[in-house]
Amino acid sequence: QPHLEQSGGGSVQTGGSLRLSCVVQGTAECMGWFRQAPGKGREGIASIGYGDKTKYATFVEGRFAISRDNGDNTLYLQMSNLKPEDTATYYCAAEYCTYCPDLHCFGPSDFSYYGQGTQVTVFS
């Protein structure tokens, strides 16, 4: 089964940028990023599937970009123009695309395999 190892994250001032990385070992083709703030449920941020087709949550508003390097088996989330409300624990995730509607996974219930999580804090 897939194994995911995250890196990146940290603290940044409002308007700053961060990049999260996730090494995905295994053959799950659909990948995504989620976040969970204290007292809130896990929410999907972005996903990438077959042919590197991407999907984003509306709150991203063009500030985040998901990508992957298949040669290094690494998934990325580039975040810019960060806001205090982006403060949360961020998780990468992977799943076999055949398990998801239209072969594209997005919501938390679509993914079975998660990284260990990394904290992102945005201060004003």
Side-chain angles (χ1 to χ4, degrees), residues 1-5 23-31 93-96 112-115:
Q1 64 183 34
H3 177 75
L4 293 77
E5 188 71 28
V23 176
V24 182
Q25 297 176 342
T27 58
E29 311 91 346
C30 277
M31 302 175 187
E95 184 55 82
Y96 301 101
S112 301
Y113 307 100
Y114 284 85

Side-chain angles (χ1 to χ4, degrees), residues 38-106:
K40 295 187 177 181
R42 188 167 295 188
E43 63 178 349
I45 300 169
S47 65
I48 187 167
Y50 285 135
D52 289 346
K53 178 181 177 182
T54 59
K55 183 177 180 180
Y56 292 92
T58 54
F59 68 79
V60 168
E61 299 176 333
R63 300 181 297 123
F64 298 175
I66 188 172
S67 63
R68 61 185 169 189
D69 184 332
N70 292 320
D72 290 340
N73 298 321
T74 303
L75 178 72
Y76 299 100
L77 183 68
Q78 179 68 48
M79 303 184 291
S80 59
N81 193 20
L82 284 161
K83 306 174 182 179
E85 51 264 43
D86 294 318
T87 295
T89 301
Y90 283 68
Y91 300 88
C92 60
E95 184 55 82
Y96 301 101
C97 294
T98 51
Y99 292 175
C100 295
D102 299 324
L103 300 179
H104 195 102
C105 307
F106 184 78

